[in-house]
Amino acid sequence: TVAEKELNITGMTCAACSTRVEKGLNRMEGMEKANVNLALERATVSYDPEKLTLNDIQDKVSSLGYGVSVKK
Ligand code: 9UX
């Protein structure tokens, strides 16, 4: 099974920022695909919920220095 979620990301001010977040997320074990949209300040993630939790994903974004919340 694959879970799909949208996250709000704050603090990205240039294209290198969004690339950094996107690459960081795509390197995670269990991440199927992460796309980050700089202009929308949003990430779309598809991942295996048996390998990765939403909390893990948010911690990753935080560790890269950006703000993150789950889009309601
Ligand atoms: Mo350039 Mo984005 O330093 O932080 S990567 S603004």
Side-chain angles (χ1 to χ4, degrees), residues 46-67:
S46 304
Y47 61 98
D48 180 347
E50 293 182 357
K51 294 182 179 169
L52 212 52
T53 68
L54 209 42
N55 209 54
D56 295 331
I57 294 169
Q58 292 186 88
D59 283 350
K60 180 67 176 184
V61 176
S62 294
S63 77
L64 293 168
Y66 302 95

Side-chain angles (χ1 to χ4, degrees), residues 1-20:
T1 70
V2 173
E4 276 197 30
K5 292 285 179 185
E6 293 214 326
L7 307 172
N8 294 308
I9 312 280
T10 58
M12 299 188 298
T13 52
C14 76
C17 291
S18 49
T19 299
R20 184 185 294 150

